[in-house]
Amino acid sequence: MNIGIIGAGALGSNLARALARKGLSATISNSRGPASLAPLVAELGPTIKAGTTAEAASADIVVVAVRWSDLGKVLGSLPAWNGRIVIDGTNPVAFLDPNSPDAKDPSNPLAAYGIKAVDLGGKYSSEVFRELVPGARVVKAFNHLDVNVLAEPEVSGGQRVQFYSGDDAAAKAEVRKLLEAIGHFPVDLGTLDVGGRLAQLPFGSLAAINFIKI
């Protein structure tokens, strides 16, 4: 699989670890350039290389793993997608300054976690995301669990469940293969209109639920 990862924060780096542990290749990128990723790629070994955002975005399967607030800036500068598969690993949350009034807002049920939900005006997150990647085949995945468990698919004698959803059957089949390749048990939640809502953090009904396939 030709895989690119846009974003090298908690999600991007842990996905790269999951791939590296199975000997799978990928190009990972961030906004600061390949040189800033030298320590990470040294840790992960020869199957993971650093590249520019454009290089990562040219892969057959591209995982977008950037903060919601950065989506427009990052995706707006990239060339046409031309039917390639883009995995939406994002969630519509804003990270709070711990010293700001928002971090102590009693009306925010997520304040204790250092985040708040972004108002999408009645839309769900993959609906917004899809508009930012015209021409891509969007699949929602890698977003509903703590990113630290991505590289730990085998647990309690079974496989950790990863949800995915999308509107293109062939694209979903490729993403399913990817989830299986890193050791997870994939569960198809249907279309983006259905599955995107169910698995969306922070308030989707399946968000943060850690199922194990025994």
Side-chain angles (χ1 to χ4, degrees):
M1 297 180 182
N2 182 6
I3 300 166
I5 304 172
I6 299 176
L11 173 56
S13 61
N14 278 291
L15 176 56
R17 288 186 179 93
L19 294 166
R21 289 184 181 186
K22 298 297 183 179
L24 300 172
S25 299
T27 299
I28 189 168
S29 66
N30 66 7
S31 61
R32 297 184 301 279
S36 68
L37 296 171
L40 177 63
V41 296
E43 169 202 336
L44 298 180
T47 64
I48 307 298
K49 68 177 183 178
T52 64
T53 300
E55 287 169 338
S58 69
D60 298 321
I61 299 177
V62 180
V63 183
V64 177
V66 302
R67 291 191 176 194
W68 188 263
S69 59
D70 295 330
L71 273 180
K73 177 177 64 177
V74 173
L75 297 178
S77 64
L78 296 174
W81 294 99
N82 296 326
R84 283 175 294 117
I85 298 169
V86 177
I87 298 178
D88 172 17
T90 68
N91 284 303
V93 297
F95 291 84
L96 303 175
D97 179 340
N99 298 314
S100 69
D102 281 343
K104 301 174 180 63
D105 181 0
S107 68
N108 175 15
L110 304 172
Y113 301 98
I115 58 175
K116 70 175 180 180
V118 174
D119 184 359
L120 300 180
K123 295 183 177 181
Y124 65 96
S125 63
S126 285
E127 184 179 5
V128 176
F129 181 93
R130 184 169 50 196
E131 294 171 356
L132 298 172
V133 287
R137 294 183 291 160
V138 176
V139 178
K140 185 73 170 176
F142 298 124
N143 71 294
H144 83 283
L145 289 179
D146 182 342
V147 294
N148 294 304
V149 304
L150 272 175
E152 301 171 0
E154 295 89 14
V155 61
S156 301
Q159 290 174 280
R160 206 180 298 277
V161 169
Q162 284 283 351
F163 298 125
Y164 68 104
S165 59
D167 299 329
D168 185 285
K172 287 203 296 183
E174 292 302 311
V175 173
R176 183 182 186 91
K177 290 177 186 177
L178 174 58
L179 291 168
E180 290 173 337
I182 62 175
H184 291 270
F185 185 82
V187 172
D188 185 351
L189 295 181
T191 65
L192 279 180
D193 283 348
V194 176
R197 295 177 190 274
L198 289 173
Q200 173 184 295
L201 284 167
F203 301 127
S205 57
L206 292 177
I209 297 180
N210 186 21
F211 290 107
I212 308 297
K213 169 66 169 62
I214 302 300

